[in-house]
Amino acid sequence: MLVGKKVVVVGGSSGIGLSTAELARREGATVIIASRNADRLNAVADKLGATAIVADVTSDESVASLFRSCGPVDHVVVTAAQLRTGPFKTVAMEDVRSTMEGKFWGAWRVARSAEIRPGGSLTLVSGYLSIRPRPNSAIIGAANGALESLARGLALELAPVRVNAVSPGIIDTPIRAAMPEEARRDMLAKTAAALPVGRVGTGEDIARQILAFMTIGFVTGSIVYIDGGALIT
């Protein structure tokens, strides 16, 4: 249980982060959510009964300020990501750097700034492209792999704080809202048909694993792949 625990979700205004914040609140935690989008963040915080703090993971000072405001916490989750990708030979280096800045260095900044109580946890969110690459996504796979390596290293350096990573497969979250609706539905349907579980994932599927990392005190340095069986097909 998380009653009396303070949980910070960086990227908590939508998608997996929002699902994690919702689940943590239902389990009795005091929840702080952070993201760049102030309007969306405040609306979500009001609905959840959470505290909202605007923060940009690409800024050293913004992340440091976030955790000065939070003080000591029990659990931190990083779901924030700003992903840009394309064909390896032609993708703009600005986009490549932006992806690493938001996905990897953002998590690095959070890990350095957060004051997590002994026995608490830090959970990073990577993605299964780290071990099942596909065309036009090399930078995302590389960022995910780097995050998983970081989680293992930090499990040693930050102990007794526990550090883990969850690696989702295809999840139906608002990050896909930029796709045309018909194309999105078609992609999700084809993905679901190819998976042993017969469906794509939801934010809550991943959030439940994140809460398991928070509450199981014997797990650290672990990477858990939640992909509906994609890695075995």
Side-chain angles (χ1 to χ4, degrees), residues 45-117:
D46 288 343
K47 183 178 178 181
L48 283 179
T51 299
I53 301 177
V54 176
D56 180 356
V57 297
T58 68
S59 164
D60 293 0
E61 178 52 35
S62 183
V63 173
S65 176
L66 164 64
F67 286 101
R68 283 196 297 269
S69 298
C70 292
V73 301
D74 297 291
H75 304 287
V76 175
V77 182
V78 187
T79 67
Q82 302 156 32
L83 305 178
R84 300 177 183 176
T85 189
F88 176 75
K89 286 287 190 177
T90 58
V91 63
M93 287 305 298
E94 179 183 352
D95 290 343
V96 170
R97 294 188 184 99
S98 175
T99 294
M100 287 298 291
E101 192 66 50
K103 180 92 174 178
F104 178 76
W105 292 114
W108 182 287
R109 291 182 181 97
V110 169
R112 289 192 67 166
S113 293
E115 183 183 349
I116 303 174
R117 296 184 178 104

Side-chain angles (χ1 to χ4, degrees), residues 25-184:
R25 281 290 294 137
R26 293 207 299 266
E27 292 291 323
T30 298
V31 175
I32 299 167
I33 57 174
S35 79
R36 295 190 304 169
N37 188 320
D39 291 341
R40 185 171 65 192
L41 182 69
N42 289 324
V44 168
D46 288 343
K47 183 178 178 181
L48 283 179
T51 299
I53 301 177
V54 176
D56 180 356
V57 297
T58 68
S59 164
D60 293 0
E61 178 52 35
S62 183
V63 173
S65 176
L66 164 64
F67 286 101
R68 283 196 297 269
S69 298
C70 292
V73 301
D74 297 291
H75 304 287
V76 175
V77 182
V78 187
T79 67
Q82 302 156 32
L83 305 178
R84 300 177 183 176
T85 189
F88 176 75
K89 286 287 190 177
T90 58
V91 63
M93 287 305 298
E94 179 183 352
D95 290 343
V96 170
R97 294 188 184 99
S98 175
T99 294
M100 287 298 291
E101 192 66 50
K103 180 92 174 178
F104 178 76
W105 292 114
W108 182 287
R109 291 182 181 97
V110 169
R112 289 192 67 166
S113 293
E115 183 183 349
I116 303 174
R117 296 184 178 104
S121 71
L122 169 65
T123 302
L124 309 181
V125 178
S126 59
Y128 82 144
L129 291 179
S130 62
I131 56 175
R132 188 171 183 175
R134 64 186 181 191
N136 303 329
S137 299
I139 185 57
I140 298 177
N144 289 340
L147 275 178
E148 292 171 11
S149 180
L150 180 64
R152 294 186 179 102
L154 293 183
L156 296 177
E157 289 216 33
L158 300 183
V161 171
R162 298 175 294 101
V163 186
N164 300 284
V166 59
S167 179
I170 300 296
I171 307 297
D172 186 9
T173 65
I175 198 171
R176 305 187 186 282
M179 297 176 65
E181 181 61 16
E182 185 175 349
R184 187 187 73 86

Side-chain angles (χ1 to χ4, degrees), residues 10-31:
V10 183
S13 66
S14 66
I16 292 169
L18 175 55
S19 294
T20 301
E22 290 173 335
L23 204 55
R25 281 290 294 137
R26 293 207 299 266
E27 292 291 323
T30 298
V31 175

